[in-house]
Amino acid sequence: MRFLHCSDVHITEDYFALPLRKLGWRRWVALVELTAGGRAKAYRNAQHTLSAIARDAQTHGVDHFILSGDLTAYALEGEFRAARAALGPLASSPARCTVIPGNHDVFTPGSHASGRFAQHFGGLLESDLPEHRREGAFPFVRLVGEGAAVVGLCSARSLPSPGLSYGTIGPAQLEGLAALVADPRLDGRAILVVVHHAPRTFADHADGWHHGLRDADALLKLLPGPRFAVLHGHIHQRYHHPATADRPHLFGAGSSTQAGKEGYWLIEVEGGVVVGGTKHAPGSVAGAT
């Protein structure tokens, strides 16, 4: 079985064409990142690139498409609409597609309180085993074929300041995940757990307190060995840390639409085990481990 994993696509509206009062003070601060930080230029073609990645899912014979958060630049309504349009038919098929929110998708308290992400992607939060939900839609599980399951978690929280971007899964979702892992209906299946924040960095260290996943160790402890993988985004670097006897595979998808760094993972599952992955650029056929 084959899974496509991308992340941090950051569909970006033209912020300077919008009235400042509509943006709110948090996005006023973010304008510095868009301009001096170069983010607006880096993601100018993000919608087109995401569309190309979605088409690649069919080209590569992918069984399931996974996007691990940060669909938007700063959670504007138009950015969510554009992300959904870029995904095309995938966005209407929970059997074929899993999408979770990232911290940029709940960037303002208003976007979080109104459930803006769910307004556009709520259909992809359905669960094949809904009795294991503990916090809203999470964790949800998608049974893929006979040999795999995809589990969605939410680590994205509305935080008090734009300078903070850490994530927390929380004890309720972790308890639900533990129940899922123990459920006999998942016996013999590889389990791919999707969360936005990175349990480890490219250097295989814990991320910083202001940016990282606060309960990373608790998550990893539940998922020992090559039957399991954690698929994440947030850190804009693409890497794979192979599984060990007491830890799952870790796949960081990088930022899949960032100019000059476009790409995604194709992850292979055989016999109920995650056997590895290859990096691909949009429109490419060849990859590298």
Side-chain angles (χ1 to χ4, degrees), residues 136-243:
F138 301 95
F140 64 83
V141 62
R142 194 88 62 245
L143 304 178
V144 183
E146 298 296 325
V150 176
V151 176
L153 300 175
C154 182
S155 62
R157 310 290 174 176
S158 182
L159 300 176
S161 167
L164 299 173
S165 57
Y166 61 83
T168 307
I169 299 167
Q173 287 186 60
L174 289 170
E175 189 275 326
L177 176 61
L180 273 168
V181 170
D183 192 314
R185 290 170 290 183
L186 270 63
D187 288 352
R189 292 177 181 266
I191 299 179
L192 283 65
V193 175
V194 188
V195 66
H196 179 64
H197 291 78
R200 293 290 184 269
T201 66
F202 174 78
D204 208 4
H205 298 149
D207 199 0
W209 71 270
H210 67 290
H211 191 264
L213 182 62
R214 294 285 177 89
D215 39 13
D217 289 343
L219 171 65
L220 297 179
K221 189 179 294 185
L222 293 174
L223 307 169
R227 180 188 171 204
F228 303 100
V230 174
L231 282 53
H232 68 83
H234 196 50
I235 297 176
H236 290 187
Q237 292 179 299
R238 195 165 297 116
Y239 52 86
H240 171 213
H241 297 314

Side-chain angles (χ1 to χ4, degrees), residues 13-23 27 76 78-79:
E13 278 210 53
D14 181 357
Y15 278 65
F16 297 97
L18 300 171
L20 281 176
R21 59 177 176 78
K22 179 178 179 180
L23 296 179
R27 296 192 186 96
L76 285 175
E79 293 170 344

Side-chain angles (χ1 to χ4, degrees), residues 45-46 58 60 62 64 73 105 123 157 169 183 217 247 269 276 284:
N45 296 318
Q58 183 172 357
H60 291 295
V62 165
H64 202 80
D105 303 321
R157 310 290 174 176
I169 299 167
D183 192 314
D217 289 343
R247 199 179 78 172
V269 170
S284 69

Side-chain angles (χ1 to χ4, degrees), residues 3 6 21 29 40 45 53 60 77 82 99 103-106 123 134 139 141 163 172 181 183 198 234 282 285:
F3 297 80
C6 63
R21 59 177 176 78
V29 174
N45 296 318
I53 294 171
H60 291 295
E77 176 73 22
V99 178
N103 60 296
H104 279 256
D105 303 321
V106 294
R134 297 294 188 274
V141 62
V181 170
D183 192 314
H234 196 50
V285 176

